[in-house]
Amino acid sequence: MTGNAGDAGDARSGGRDVGHADEGATGADGPGAAADSPRAAAEVSPPPGTPALLVLCAAHFMDAIDLSDVGVALPAIQRDLGLTSGSLQWIVSAYALGYGGFLLLGGRVADLFGRRRAFLTAVAVFGVVSVLGALAPTGGLLIAARLVKGVAAGFLAPAALSLITANWPEGPRRGRALGWYATAGACGFVGGLVLGGVLTEQSWRLVFALPVPIAVAALLAGPRLLPADPRGGARGKLDVPGALTATGALVVLVYALTLAPAHGWLSARTLVLFCVAAALLVLFVRAESRARTPLVPLSFLTRRTTAATNLTIFAMWGAYMSFAFLATLYLQNVLGWTPLQTAGAFVPLGLANGALAPFAGRLAARFGAPRMIAAGMLLLALSYALFFRIGPDSPFLTVVLPVMVVNGIGTAATFPALNMSAVAGVPDRDQGLAGALLNTFMQIGGAVVLALVTAVVEAGQRTDRGDPLAGYALGTGVIVATVLAGLTGATLIRRASPTDGRNH
């Protein structure tokens, strides 16, 4: 990061962007709240620089590692703790349940009670529960630790993203910051795959302890480097009915999506859970329409840019999670690769993403986020279409590697631009909410599309059990179609009014 000219400029000014000090004048209590008096204006700190961004990127790196490293360790955990396959999958699903269910609440808590406070608290809980998971003597305690860690991540992710979007001004500086943030996530995800394989060779417990040093470093540096939460002023009240119904609906929905592939989409259990989630969503809408300070203003949900951006990331992340699932099955079950070799196959994807994401953020600021999103989604569709070329003995260099590289480039172009689009024109008081909505649709998209692709692949394999590639073409077709459907969102973003985000 230090090689970047813009970052060097930040370092020369003591990590501060004095020319945009007015951007830092908006705190969690609403735009302009800090400028009500000359004294208040004088207390406002300029936007932070590279050291603060490193803290936020480190936390995102930690979160991404924890999303990917556990999968490699699952067989060793099963042998050591004597878990059934049904119990084993909850080590992954419990994290997704807590993460997806609490994102909206986490985003609003950050907006109302302080983003730095919410961020540091979430990092502390994440680190402590990582230690407890590493020491867990039983599968039940390990699953409980993963659930709590997912809840902590649900508070951490929107707080970290809103700290960037509320303190780096719109334009090239924010684009660069979001680009490095995306790079940290990509490197963490791929690094988690590789480190998970290496550490599992020693002990699977080391995998769960991996985030601890990063959490400690973020807790030590965060209070000194991250911008302080605004002092005084009238804080908004948390919409308790909205928080309960929204969180309940998301938890039940994620739980239903997790169980559906095993129990059947039309089973009584699955249908009841979907009905409960729908009823809670209806109650949520009713509560928000009556609340004086709603958790999620309904006008925010109908904002065209918000809806289009969330639709796009739903498709993008759902397609990626499904592709990672199919590629892992192909490399291990068809080509006979080991888990560590499989993890290494994703390294080119992470390297391409990590190398290009910072520049993609600046390009999005120059040419517009909608254009970058559309270009990135087209590249992603191309990468998944290239996966149709796989065969029982396809060489990695000429068949699989191009898929990984093109996918990394497409992800680099799309993800920072989506983050920029999600918060563009959104008042400072709602930055955490905007980031939380984006992450919520991302998690729900991953669960929905992966469940659909899994069902399609399994149906194909049942039809032709003698073909090792049975179902792969059908699953890949669903993935390509999902990305192309996501292009609709990019089109809607381009047509959105520039003032669309200020109408609530």
Side-chain angles (χ1 to χ4, degrees):
M1 290 179 66
T2 54
N4 186 285
D7 291 328
D10 288 343
R12 285 192 297 269
S13 62
R16 299 180 298 174
D17 184 4
V18 180
H20 293 277
D22 58 318
E23 284 289 328
T26 56
D29 299 317
D36 290 338
S37 68
R39 180 180 177 182
E43 292 176 354
V44 174
S45 299
T50 302
L53 183 60
L54 283 172
V55 174
L56 299 172
C57 286
H60 191 40
F61 180 86
M62 174 185 72
D63 185 19
I65 278 181
D66 210 68
L67 282 171
S68 61
D69 61 1
V70 174
V72 182
L74 289 178
I77 296 171
Q78 185 175 31
R79 290 192 299 269
D80 192 17
L81 298 182
L83 298 177
T84 65
S85 297
S87 298
L88 189 67
Q89 64 102 13
W90 276 105
I91 294 175
V92 176
S93 299
Y95 186 91
L97 189 65
Y99 195 179
F102 283 82
L103 277 165
L104 276 182
L105 179 59
R108 183 48 92 194
V109 165
D111 286 338
L112 294 179
F113 300 105
R115 292 171 183 134
R116 188 176 76 171
R117 186 179 296 111
F119 172 81
L120 293 175
T121 302
V123 169
V125 173
F126 199 98
V128 170
V129 180
S130 294
V131 174
L132 296 177
L135 300 175
T138 66
L141 290 175
L142 181 57
I143 291 170
R146 291 286 293 171
L147 175 63
V148 177
K149 187 184 283 191
V151 174
F155 283 80
L156 189 157
L161 182 59
S162 61
L163 277 167
I164 292 177
T165 58
N167 290 286
W168 273 263
E170 285 193 49
R173 291 181 181 273
R174 181 182 291 178
R176 184 173 66 247
L178 289 172
W180 283 117
Y181 188 72
T183 297
C187 293
F189 192 84
V190 175
L193 290 171
V194 177
L195 290 173
V198 172
L199 293 176
T200 302
E201 296 290 331
Q202 305 301 317
S203 172
W204 62 264
R205 296 185 182 276
L206 294 176
V207 172
F208 287 87
L210 186 58
V212 175
I214 305 173
V216 171
L219 288 172
L220 291 175
R224 294 185 295 107
L225 298 176
L226 296 177
D229 298 321
R231 296 181 180 179
R235 283 180 182 160
K237 293 183 179 180
L238 183 63
D239 172 22
V240 175
L244 291 176
T245 52
T247 302
L250 290 171
V251 167
V252 174
L253 178 60
V254 174
Y255 184 64
L257 291 170
T258 302
L259 291 181
H263 293 275
W265 289 90
L266 298 178
S267 68
R269 178 182 297 185
T270 301
L271 292 176
V272 167
L273 288 171
F274 280 135
C275 288
V276 171
L280 287 171
L281 284 174
V282 171
L283 291 174
F284 168 71
V285 172
R286 185 176 181 181
E288 299 308 273
S289 64
R290 297 181 175 184
R292 296 182 62 183
T293 55
L295 180 76
V296 183
L298 296 181
S299 59
F300 193 89
L301 292 175
T302 57
R303 176 178 175 263
R304 177 180 287 182
T305 302
T306 298
T309 302
N310 291 334
L311 171 65
T312 305
I313 203 163
F314 178 100
M316 174 204 167
W317 190 247
Y320 173 76
M321 291 295 289
S322 303
F323 163 70
F325 170 77
L326 276 189
T328 300
L329 289 181
Y330 170 72
L331 292 172
Q332 294 192 34
N333 295 346
V334 180
L335 299 187
W337 286 29
T338 67
L340 187 56
Q341 288 175 317
T342 302
F346 284 86
V347 169
L349 189 158
L351 291 177
N353 186 352
L356 296 176
F359 304 101
R362 278 181 276 175
L363 288 173
R366 172 177 291 185
F367 298 108
R371 289 189 178 91
M372 287 297 293
I373 293 169
M377 293 293 280
L378 285 172
L379 285 171
L380 290 174
L382 172 62
S383 74
Y384 299 133
L386 290 174
F387 199 62
F388 281 118
R389 300 165 59 230
I390 61 172
D393 55 356
S394 298
F396 176 79
L397 286 178
T398 57
V399 177
V400 180
L401 182 61
V403 177
M404 298 294 183
V405 173
V406 175
N407 192 282
I409 297 171
T411 303
T414 309
F415 198 73
L418 281 170
N419 279 281
M420 294 172 68
S421 176
V423 299
V426 175
D428 182 79
R429 66 179 182 272
D430 291 330
Q431 291 284 318
L433 173 62
L437 274 174
L438 187 74
N439 279 281
T440 298
F441 274 83
M442 179 176 164
Q443 297 302 316
I444 299 294
V448 170
V449 181
L450 178 58
L452 178 60
V453 169
T454 301
V456 168
V457 172
E458 289 179 348
Q461 291 174 342
R462 285 194 299 269
T463 302
D464 189 357
R465 297 184 182 277
D467 183 2
L469 289 173
Y472 280 81
L474 289 173
T476 302
V478 172
I479 293 171
V480 173
T482 299
V483 176
L484 293 177
L487 275 172
T488 304
T491 303
L492 292 175
I493 295 171
R494 288 195 66 178
R495 293 178 180 175
S497 167
T499 59
D500 196 23
R502 298 178 174 87
N503 296 332
H504 66 280

